[in-house]
Amino acid sequence: MDTTILVVNCGSSSLKLALYQRQGLKPLGTALAERLGSPEARLTVRGKHKRCHALRADDNHQSAIHSALDAFRQAGLLQGDPVAVGHRVVHGGEAFTRSAVIDQPVLKAIHQCTPLAPLHNPANLAGIEALTGLYPQLPQVAVFDTAFHQSLPPAAYLYALPYHLYQEQRVRRYGFHGTSHRYMLGRTAAHLGQSEQNTSLISAHLGNGCSITAIRNGESRDTSMGLTPLEGLVMGSRSGDIDPGLFDFFIQQGQTPAMVSQMLNKESGLLGLSGLSNDMRSLIEARDQGHEQAALAVDVFCYRLARYIGTMGVASGTPDALVFTGGIGENSAVVREQTLAHLSHLG
Ligand code: ADP
């Protein structure tokens, strides 16, 4: 019997699909549809070989998924239909503490979280609708970026704002990258040969987006991203923590909120500091060739990360491990070393 599971990560103009066997961690094949809704829309399918297919400008999520599944079949990666679909859904608000099989109440709850992730949740819903249109009977599961962090205590998730903003609009820290932090917990517990419930760690996900989480006895107890993924560590093009008074400052200088938001999300972080790139590997190469701003960007990145690692012990208790993942965390011994050099007092 075919046991292929389809995994879907749906963005507003892009779509990532992967096929997995029930037990396997390595995808059998992946598909990336980009620039949906434009004349340049295209689909790249990777299995044993890479194949590119043109899409039509009027292709939507549903027809792009259909084309991708056809391409998977042609490449021999999929026989028949998948047995289940897993969707990455960015924001589950306070409604979801774990993954959920999608039914009408779950769809409604995801929809109600849209004000918290206005760019992401509608795209995720479009992916779910597309699959429902193609396979009305297929079990579909929503896997939330936020769910793992629903165990944060109020002291960690509340901002010191008027309390009614939490009561009425659910303004609070949610945290993201939950699937990655939860995965790090599982792998760390397995490496240490102990149960997840007995495992405490500080996990740092360092990719283009970066976040750090304190996990105590198998539960997320604090995390650096907040209401949105802008808070916390220095990231590729996001500022991470800033003085919220900066907003006032720039508004008084004549900037609009949209301009400030664009600057904080797209023009800051490693890119903004270095004036060169949002890519850590390029910055380390540039630093080694004497580029001073690249060196500064790496310094600020590592110092902020170390500062967060230092404070996360408040929530994790004595951790069993400090774990790094994401493109930077996994691959850059230089960043890990420079960060840990700030933390020698912790042993
Ligand atoms: P995304 O969040 O887009 O999935 P990744 O987790 O792939 O991103 O991480 C991308 C980052 O990882 C980039 O900044 C890239 O330069 C960095 N990276 C990948 N390999 C290395 C390396 N060997 N040394 C330093 N940085 C690396």
Side-chain angles (χ1 to χ4, degrees), residues 20-253:
Y20 287 88
Q21 285 299 337
R22 204 179 280 262
Q23 301 296 343
L25 278 178
K26 237 184 130 208
L28 303 170
T30 61
L32 171 64
E34 294 170 286
R35 301 189 195 143
L36 285 174
S38 82
E40 292 93 46
R42 63 188 192 132
L43 172 70
T44 310
V45 175
R46 289 187 169 82
K48 290 188 195 87
H49 307 284
K50 176 178 160 185
R51 289 206 178 96
C52 292
H53 307 255
L55 293 170
R56 293 190 314 268
D58 61 352
D59 267 323
N60 56 18
H61 286 100
Q62 184 164 336
S63 52
I65 291 172
H66 202 261
S67 303
L69 292 177
D70 273 350
F72 282 146
R73 287 196 190 93
Q74 279 166 24
L77 302 168
L78 176 68
Q79 279 88 41
D81 292 331
V83 294
V85 186
H87 291 270
R88 180 235 186 157
V89 180
V90 167
H91 221 302
E94 291 185 326
F96 296 100
T97 58
R98 54 175 59 204
S99 304
V101 177
I102 296 170
D103 56 14
Q104 280 309 320
V106 166
L107 275 178
K108 190 171 166 207
I110 296 173
H111 189 71
Q112 283 168 343
C113 294
T114 293
L116 295 167
L119 297 179
H120 289 97
N121 274 27
N124 301 150
L125 282 165
I128 295 169
E129 273 165 28
L131 260 302
T132 309
L134 289 171
Y135 301 109
Q137 303 306 327
L138 204 61
Q140 300 192 53
V141 175
V143 179
F144 299 93
D145 281 27
T146 50
F148 182 60
H149 301 302
Q150 277 299 299
S151 45
L152 259 59
Y157 72 64
L158 283 175
Y159 292 116
L161 297 170
Y163 189 61
H164 69 86
L165 293 176
Y166 170 63
Q167 290 174 304
E168 289 157 16
Q169 297 181 55
R170 292 291 174 247
V171 173
R172 53 162 282 181
R173 175 184 312 287
Y174 288 96
F176 298 86
H177 290 149
T179 51
S180 175
H181 292 291
R182 190 177 59 189
Y183 182 74
M184 282 192 267
L185 165 66
R187 295 296 293 157
T188 303
H191 270 297
L192 298 176
Q194 58 194 44
S195 71
E196 291 186 11
Q197 288 84 347
N198 284 327
T199 302
S200 299
L201 66 145
I202 296 174
S203 56
H205 177 107
L206 311 175
N208 257 316
C210 299
S211 72
I212 181 164
T213 293
I215 298 175
R216 186 175 202 143
N217 295 330
E219 285 190 343
S220 174
R221 304 291 290 175
D222 201 355
T223 191
S224 58
M225 283 179 167
L227 175 75
T228 75
L230 184 55
E231 191 180 349
L233 301 174
V234 176
M235 312 186 207
S237 67
R238 284 178 236 158
S239 62
D241 290 345
I242 48 148
D243 177 350
L246 272 180
F247 236 94
D248 256 354
F249 175 82
F250 286 117
I251 301 286
Q252 278 164 19
Q253 305 280 317

